[in-house]
Amino acid sequence: MASKKDKKSGSNTISSGEIVKNKKALFNYELVEKFEAGIVLLGTEVKSLRERSVNMSDSYASFKKGELFIVNMHISPYHFGNRNNHEPLRERKLLMKKRELRRLYGKIKEQGLTLIPVKLYFSRGKVKVELALAKGKKLHDKRETLKRKTLDREMERYIKR
């Protein structure tokens, strides 16, 4: 993951690699299958993503008129933007092949699964979203995940000593 200093603001920016992961989704959902999709963005949104000014903890993907959109993904307005800056919570279109879209639509309707964004990253200069078909976890499953996590952490500490 290459990062460089931004000359204007002095903050770290990203030229390639991972932007953000949706850790909340990994805790609340059981991931069934993953997909990659492109995303339609404005110029100021890409600049904000390079500064990692994004929050996708409550975001999800939904179908509208046969097209896939990502909803509730907050990309902060670009710091150096002017009055033509983007709206932070606008719906953004996802780009996938028609065959994949039909398959996803069928799985969502039949099995009652949800499409959630798991990761946002740069790939060859383009912003990509990793989507996952997910099934919601029950409360006891979440508790089990926490127990397993703490046990793993304690084992690592014990092994280090």
Side-chain angles (χ1 to χ4, degrees):
M1 182 158 85
S3 65
K4 60 181 180 179
K5 276 287 209 188
D6 187 10
K7 293 178 183 175
K8 291 180 185 175
S9 65
S11 65
N12 286 331
T13 60
I14 301 174
S15 59
S16 67
E18 187 176 297
I19 299 168
V20 67
K21 270 189 175 178
N22 191 352
K23 293 180 183 177
K24 190 174 181 182
L26 298 174
F27 179 71
N28 290 331
Y29 297 96
E30 179 185 330
L31 305 181
V32 179
E33 192 175 350
K34 292 184 180 181
F35 300 92
E36 181 183 71
I39 184 168
V40 177
L41 296 172
L42 301 174
T44 54
E45 290 174 326
V46 176
K47 291 178 180 183
S48 288
L49 287 177
R50 291 197 185 278
E51 294 178 345
R52 293 184 178 176
S53 302
V54 62
N55 180 8
M56 44 188 238
S57 60
D58 292 329
S59 59
Y60 60 95
S62 67
F63 282 93
K64 291 184 182 157
K65 297 181 182 177
E67 296 179 335
L68 190 60
F69 289 89
I70 193 162
V71 183
N72 274 348
M73 185 168 74
H74 185 278
I75 299 177
S76 299
Y78 184 54
H79 182 69
F80 295 107
N82 55 13
R83 65 179 174 221
N84 296 327
N85 223 338
H86 65 276
E87 185 181 328
L89 281 174
R90 75 179 186 91
E91 292 181 353
R92 294 162 181 95
K93 185 177 178 181
L94 296 176
L95 306 171
M96 293 179 82
K97 295 193 177 201
K98 198 170 263 188
R99 181 185 299 154
E100 287 180 324
L101 287 174
R102 276 192 237 120
R103 193 170 133 230
L104 280 175
Y105 186 75
K107 284 192 174 186
I108 289 172
K109 291 297 175 192
E110 284 178 16
Q111 301 172 3
L113 300 174
T114 309
L115 255 181
I116 53 170
V118 178
K119 186 166 60 169
L120 201 62
Y121 58 95
F122 284 103
S123 174
R124 291 188 246 150
K126 307 278 192 260
V127 179
K128 303 286 183 178
V129 179
E130 186 174 291
L131 297 169
L133 275 172
K135 190 183 295 183
K137 282 186 183 177
K138 304 283 186 217
L139 184 62
H140 62 275
D141 292 333
K142 292 179 188 179
R143 287 181 185 152
E144 188 178 308
T145 305
L146 284 174
K147 285 179 188 175
R148 192 176 316 123
K149 202 175 198 180
T150 55
L151 284 173
D152 289 343
R153 212 178 289 140
E154 289 174 6
M155 289 291 287
E156 288 293 322
R157 287 180 189 157
Y158 185 75
I159 291 171
K160 282 185 180 180
R161 292 181 192 171

